[in-house]
Amino acid sequence: MPFDNTYSRLPERFYERITPVRVKNPGLIRVNRELAASMEFPLPETDSAMAELFSGNELPEGCDPVALVYAGHQFGHFVPRLGDGRAVLLGEYVNSTGKRFDIQLKGSGRTRFSRNGDGLSPLGPVIREYIISEAMYRLGIPTTRALAMVSTGEKVFREEELPGAVLTRVAASHIRVGTFEYFASRSDHEALKILTDYAIERHYPELTETAEPYAALLDKVCAAQAALVARWMSVGFIHGVMNTDNTTVSGETIDYGPCAFMDSYDPSTVFSSIDTYGRYAFGRQPAIAQWNMASFAGCLLPLLHENEDTAREAAQSIIDGFKDIFKQHYFADMCRKIGFSSHEDISIELLNRLLEIMQQGKSDFTLTFRKLSSAVENTPETFLSGFSGKDEVGKWLIDWRKELNRQGIAPDKAAQIMNGCNPAVIARNHRVEQAISAAVEHGDYSVTDRLLEAIRLPYAERTDFDEYRNPPEPSEKVYRTFCGT
Ligand code: AMP
Ligand code: MG
């Protein structure tokens, strides 16, 4: 297999060389054949051979497994050493077009970085990551992906005894803000420079030619994170653990823990059981992304300029620019949701008015936007059915149509814009929980399969997945999600 392991050729203090712990009785749960085909990844022929490979029992030729070291701010508190405590990077798979994919096993046993953890993953979180990362990909949002899930045939002990599993994750890379923080906090400037040059080479090679590649890197990563979080906001996604160790320089969404899509619109929504103070609430995600970028900037200071004040000024001006870049992305994405191809002030005002009405009325975020296209001309009944007080939203509809008209956007054009970015189906939290319960309690993966099929074409108008459009019934509502770590 064409593995080329540039990361494990970095100095030894970047990782621990390690063989994944063997599992007792690996069984293939699901393999992502579409992903494998798009990567040109040659899958073994039999299920049992795939189970051996994706459990880490059988190592592919050419791989060089390592557990990566990193640090990170967890809920605002700096932890000087985290690292892959339950994951092993097998290596980098390179396909015929030269595209490079990190192949990582998550839940593959203890490493030097496990601290008090067991290095294992229960089945539930593996299924959650598989489903939600796939949903994000299908929505068109940059994300790591899941290539396979296997059961280990072993028990994992949390509050109860649970079946164990391993997820195979595919990522552009696993370089995190926390990786920079690890070396910066130790004042290991040599490693910091090696890491930064490596990140540039791998993700932004065009910057090597620029006069100030390190400032340019900071700029690029800020832009990527701003664009990413704007996309999250546009589909109601809550990451749940936006720690700096869960923030990539590639701009991919990573580490699906207690993440979830929001049902009724409220910026203060939090699902994560460990987010007691709502640090990572839906509406705080942009500010947190900026905070994470400030942490990143802090790490790069020694590389930005030999004079600390000059370095600080350069970093500060880039971080100050984050909000504007975010807003550009956010309002562009959000104004498309109400049919505008650009984001003039008046469109933004209309958007904010609608969001306000939605928040007051606890309207379903996904359903409201999806139904809006049906109200673009004169039949607002379906759309209005999502609101209790109709007066305000009725007025809004009139103003909205007037503005579309003023901007010369014909109703069918507006509907086309909206239906192209307002998903009909998202991986709703109660559906994800139902899929997990069926699998964990009864070994039944049919619920997972049907959900995966439902989220495969999120923007399509399909009648056979109607039940996936609806928000949960009161009895189905899920209020808390868990990392399962
Ligand atoms: P996360 O919250 O999933 O981003 O993980 C934060 C840190 O905890 C990372 O360094 C993980 O490797 C580590 N970790 C999480 N779960 C476990 C576990 N079961 N065993 C060992 N380390 C873990
Ligand atoms: Mg993490």
Side-chain angles (χ1 to χ4, degrees), residues 70 176 245-246 255:
Y70 51 84
R176 308 146 187 271
D245 53 303
N246 295 337
D255 273 5

Side-chain angles (χ1 to χ4, degrees), residues 18 35 42 53-54 92-93 119 151 172 199 209 219 226-227 262 274 305 322 368 384 467:
I18 192 174
L35 172 59
L53 173 65
F54 295 126
E92 298 147 38
Y93 174 78
S151 54
E209 304 300 321
D219 217 21
M262 174 176 61
I274 55 172
H305 202 276
F322 183 92
T368 304
L384 286 176
E467 76 270 27

Side-chain angles (χ1 to χ4, degrees), residues 119-179:
L120 304 176
S121 181
L123 176 58
V126 166
I127 296 177
R128 178 176 286 275
E129 175 152 357
Y130 193 101
I131 293 172
I132 300 194
S133 62
E134 195 61 13
M136 294 290 269
Y137 172 74
R138 299 292 173 177
L139 287 165
I141 298 174
T143 178
T144 65
R145 295 188 68 188
L147 182 57
M149 29 182 185
V150 297
S151 54
T152 60
E154 292 166 13
K155 294 287 175 212
V156 177
F157 297 92
R158 293 293 178 261
E159 271 125 19
E160 52 189 326
E161 201 181 81
L162 295 163
V166 176
L167 180 94
T168 303
R169 173 159 74 183
V170 175
S173 85
H174 284 84
I175 310 169
R176 308 146 187 271
V177 168
T179 321

Side-chain angles (χ1 to χ4, degrees), residues 21 23 62 77 86 101 124 161 180 196 210 224-225 227 240 262 264 276 285 293 310 312 325 352 394 401 406 444 472:
V21 178
V23 313
H77 301 286
R86 53 162 167 171
F101 305 90
E161 201 181 81
F180 291 82
T196 312
T210 58
Q225 285 293 329
M262 174 176 61
S264 51
T276 325
Q285 297 186 120
M293 288 302 97
T310 315
R312 245 172 231 292
I325 300 171
N352 287 336
R401 289 202 201 107
R406 194 193 66 81
D444 172 7

